[in-house]
Each structure stands twice: as structure tokens, then as C-alpha cells.
Amino acid sequence: MASTEDFKGRWALVTGASSGIGAALARELASHGAKLILTARRRDRLEALAQELAAKGTEVRVVVADLNDPAAPQQLYGATAGAGLAVEILVNNAGLGSMARFAPAPSSRK
Ligand SMILES: NC(=O)c1ccc[n+]([C@@H]2O[C@H](COP(=O)([O-])OP(=O)(O)OC[C@H]3O[C@@H](n4cnc5c(N)ncnc54)[C@H](OP(=O)(O)O)[C@@H]3O)[C@@H](O)[C@H]2O)c1
């Protein structure tokens, strides 16, 4: 089982880091010494979180990306591996909740 020590100095990519569970996990990973790449669509929120974490000594990068956009994977690759950052931890959290009867519910939502 992984120890929290295992996060120290490693790059963690958190999708959906602008709110909720993603932001909470980003804070938790930073508190255990991880370096963070924060991604979501809302730049203002990502930058506020990045400033908060950087003030505590965490190395942070922000990548604004809409994961509905087919260009987003290449954009994220370019900002991570393409920029020489080896991502070792992935929190693949971006998404949304939708409560509805299954049959009439839309298969996707913007
Ligand atoms: N909370 C729960 O009880 C619960 C239960 C089961 C599963 N989940 C799942 O856990 C994850 C997080 O939930 P949460 O409650 O923390 O929700 P949340 O506060 O709404 O956060 C969702 C995150 O996903 C990002 N996101 C949404 N669509 C995106 C897109 N197209 N491209 C990039 N980023 C996108 C949002 O950022 P931007 O809007 O800035 O892009 C936001 O940072 C979701 O996948 C959700 O389905 C949550």
C-alpha cells in the first residue's frame, strides 16, 4: 500500500481541480509534498488555488482545458510530458453529477 511519503516531490495531475473533490484532493496531495498540475475550465478558480498552494511552498502549474474538446488531451500532454514534467499521480476527477430518471436522461450535458 502506498504511503503518503510516496507523494513527496512527485508531479500529480488533478483534473477538475477548480472545485469540490478535485480541489480538496489537490490540497491534500500538496500537504503531502506533491507538485501539482491543476486543470479545469475556470481559470480564476485554478489560479486562486494555485496561489494558495504556492504560498505554502508547493510547485504548481495551471492548465486551462475543456476536456470535452478533442484538442484537450494534446494540450495536457504538451503542458506535462511535452514540457518535461513526468506525471506520476493522476486524479482523473473532472465530471459532473446528474440526478434524473435513467431512461429520459440525456447521455451528455454541457
Ligand atoms: N460529489 C459527489 O457526491 C460525487 C459522487 C459520485 C461521483 N462524483 C464525481 O466526482 C467528480 C467531482 O465531483 P464534485 O462533486 O467535486 O463536482 P464539482 O465540484 O462540480 O467539480 C467538477 C470539476 O470538474 C470540472 N469539469 C467539469 N466539466 C469539465 C470539462 N468539460 N473540462 C474540464 N473540467 C471539467 C469542473 O471544473 P470547471 O467547471 O472549472 O471546468 C470542476 O473542477 C465528478 O466526476 C463527479 O461526477 C461526485
Side-chain angles (χ1 to χ4, degrees):
M1 182 185 234
S3 134
T4 53
E5 280 296 301
D6 295 339
F7 298 131
K8 208 163 267 177
R10 296 176 192 265
W11 281 106
L13 170 62
V14 180
T15 73
S18 62
S19 65
I21 296 167
L25 285 172
R27 289 189 177 95
E28 188 65 17
L29 285 162
S31 78
H32 291 293
K35 301 186 279 191
L36 270 298
I37 300 151
L38 308 174
T39 187
R41 294 167 298 184
R42 288 171 290 177
R43 179 184 293 280
D44 56 337
R45 284 172 166 258
L46 292 175
E47 287 182 348
L49 179 57
Q51 273 185 22
E52 174 194 320
L53 300 180
K56 295 177 184 161
T58 301
E59 196 174 338
V60 195
R61 306 284 167 92
V62 164
V63 184
V64 177
D66 180 348
L67 297 180
N68 273 327
D69 181 347
Q74 187 61 49
Q75 190 187 345
L76 278 175
Y77 179 84
T80 55
L85 307 186
V87 174
E88 296 184 82
I89 302 157
L90 171 64
V91 179
N92 197 16
N93 157 83
L96 52 88
S98 184
M99 299 280 280
R101 286 183 179 275
F102 182 77
S107 58
S108 68
R109 199 176 82 187
K110 275 252 170 181

Coordinates of all heavy atoms in Angstrom, one line a residue, residues 16-21 40-42 65-68 93-97, ligand 1:
G16 N -10.4 18.6 -13.0 CA -11.5 19.0 -12.2 C -11.0 19.6 -10.9 O -11.6 19.5 -9.9
A17 N -9.9 20.4 -11.0 CA -9.3 20.9 -9.7 C -9.8 22.2 -9.3 O -9.4 22.8 -8.3 CB -7.8 21.0 -9.9
S18 N -10.8 22.8 -10.1 CA -11.3 24.1 -9.8 C -12.3 24.1 -8.7 O -12.7 25.2 -8.2 CB -11.8 24.8 -11.0 OG -12.9 24.0 -11.5
S19 N -12.8 23.0 -8.3 CA -13.8 22.9 -7.2 C -14.0 21.6 -6.6 O -13.4 20.6 -7.1 CB -15.2 23.4 -7.7 OG -15.7 22.5 -8.7
G20 N -14.7 21.5 -5.5 CA -15.2 20.2 -5.0 C -14.1 19.2 -4.6 O -13.0 19.6 -4.1
I21 N -14.3 18.0 -5.0 CA -13.4 16.9 -4.7 C -12.0 17.1 -5.3 O -11.0 16.8 -4.6 CB -14.0 15.5 -5.2 CG1 -15.3 15.2 -4.4 CG2 -13.0 14.4 -5.0 CD1 -16.1 14.1 -5.1
A40 N -8.8 22.4 -15.4 CA -10.3 22.6 -15.4 C -10.5 23.7 -16.4 O -9.6 24.2 -17.0 CB -10.9 22.9 -14.1
R41 N -11.8 24.2 -16.5 CA -12.1 25.3 -17.4 C -12.0 26.6 -16.8 O -11.6 27.6 -17.4 CB -13.5 25.1 -18.0 CG -13.6 23.9 -18.9 CD -15.1 23.5 -19.2 NE -15.8 23.2 -17.9 CZ -17.0 22.9 -17.9 NH1 -17.7 22.7 -19.0 NH2 -17.6 22.6 -16.7
R42 N -12.3 26.7 -15.5 CA -12.3 28.1 -14.8 C -11.0 28.5 -14.3 O -10.5 28.1 -13.3 CB -13.4 28.0 -13.7 CG -14.8 28.0 -14.2 CD -15.8 27.7 -13.1 NE -15.7 26.4 -12.6 CZ -16.4 25.9 -11.5 NH1 -17.2 26.7 -10.9 NH2 -16.2 24.7 -11.1
A65 N -8.2 23.9 -19.6 CA -8.6 23.0 -20.7 C -10.1 22.5 -20.5 O -10.5 22.2 -19.4 CB -7.7 21.8 -20.8
D66 N -10.8 22.4 -21.6 CA -12.1 21.8 -21.6 C -12.0 20.4 -22.1 O -11.7 20.2 -23.3 CB -13.0 22.6 -22.5 CG -14.5 22.1 -22.5 OD1 -14.7 21.0 -22.0 OD2 -15.3 22.8 -23.1
L67 N -12.2 19.4 -21.2 CA -12.0 18.0 -21.6 C -13.0 17.5 -22.6 O -12.9 16.4 -23.1 CB -11.9 17.2 -20.3 CG -10.7 17.5 -19.4 CD1 -10.7 16.6 -18.2 CD2 -9.4 17.4 -20.1
N68 N -14.0 18.3 -22.8 CA -15.0 18.0 -23.9 C -14.4 18.3 -25.3 O -14.9 17.9 -26.3 CB -16.3 18.8 -23.8 CG -17.3 18.1 -22.9 OD1 -17.3 16.9 -22.9 ND2 -18.0 18.9 -22.2
N93 N -10.6 13.2 -12.1 CA -11.8 13.5 -11.4 C -12.8 14.4 -12.1 O -14.0 14.4 -11.7 CB -11.3 14.2 -10.1 CG -12.4 15.1 -9.4 OD1 -13.2 14.6 -8.7 ND2 -12.3 16.4 -9.7
A94 N -12.4 15.1 -13.2 CA -13.4 16.0 -13.8 C -14.6 15.3 -14.2 O -14.6 14.2 -14.7 CB -12.7 16.6 -15.0
G95 N -15.7 16.0 -14.0 CA -17.0 15.4 -14.4 C -18.1 16.2 -13.7 O -17.9 17.2 -13.2
L96 N -19.3 15.6 -13.9 CA -20.4 16.3 -13.2 C -21.4 15.2 -12.8 O -21.4 14.1 -13.3 CB -21.1 17.3 -14.2 CG -21.5 16.7 -15.6 CD1 -22.9 16.1 -15.6 CD2 -21.4 17.8 -16.6
G97 N -22.2 15.7 -11.8 CA -23.3 14.8 -11.3 C -24.6 15.1 -12.0 O -24.8 16.3 -12.3
Ligands
LIG1 N1 -19.9 14.8 -5.1 C1 -20.4 13.6 -5.1 O1 -21.2 13.1 -4.3 C2 -20.0 12.6 -6.2 C3 -20.5 11.3 -6.2 C4 -20.1 10.4 -7.3 C5 -19.2 10.9 -8.2 N2 -18.7 12.2 -8.2 C6 -17.8 12.6 -9.2 O2 -16.7 13.2 -8.7 C7 -16.2 14.2 -9.5 C8 -16.1 15.5 -8.8 O3 -17.3 15.8 -8.2 P1 -17.6 17.2 -7.4 O4 -18.7 16.9 -6.5 O5 -16.3 17.6 -6.8 O6 -18.0 18.2 -8.6 P2 -17.7 19.7 -8.9 O7 -17.5 20.5 -7.7 O8 -18.8 20.1 -9.8 O9 -16.4 19.6 -9.7 C9 -16.3 19.1 -11.0 C10 -15.0 19.5 -11.6 O10 -14.9 19.0 -12.9 C11 -14.5 20.1 -13.8 N3 -15.1 19.9 -15.1 C12 -16.4 19.7 -15.4 N4 -16.5 19.6 -16.7 C13 -15.3 19.8 -17.3 C14 -14.8 19.8 -18.6 N5 -15.6 19.7 -19.6 N6 -13.5 20.0 -18.8 C15 -12.7 20.2 -17.7 N7 -13.1 20.2 -16.4 C16 -14.4 20.0 -16.2 C17 -15.1 21.4 -13.1 O11 -14.3 22.5 -13.4 P3 -14.7 23.6 -14.4 O12 -16.2 23.9 -14.3 O13 -13.9 24.8 -14.0 O14 -14.3 23.1 -15.8 C18 -14.8 21.0 -11.6 O15 -13.5 21.4 -11.3 C19 -17.2 14.2 -10.7 O16 -16.6 13.5 -11.8 C20 -18.4 13.6 -10.2 O17 -19.2 13.0 -11.2 C21 -19.1 13.0 -7.2

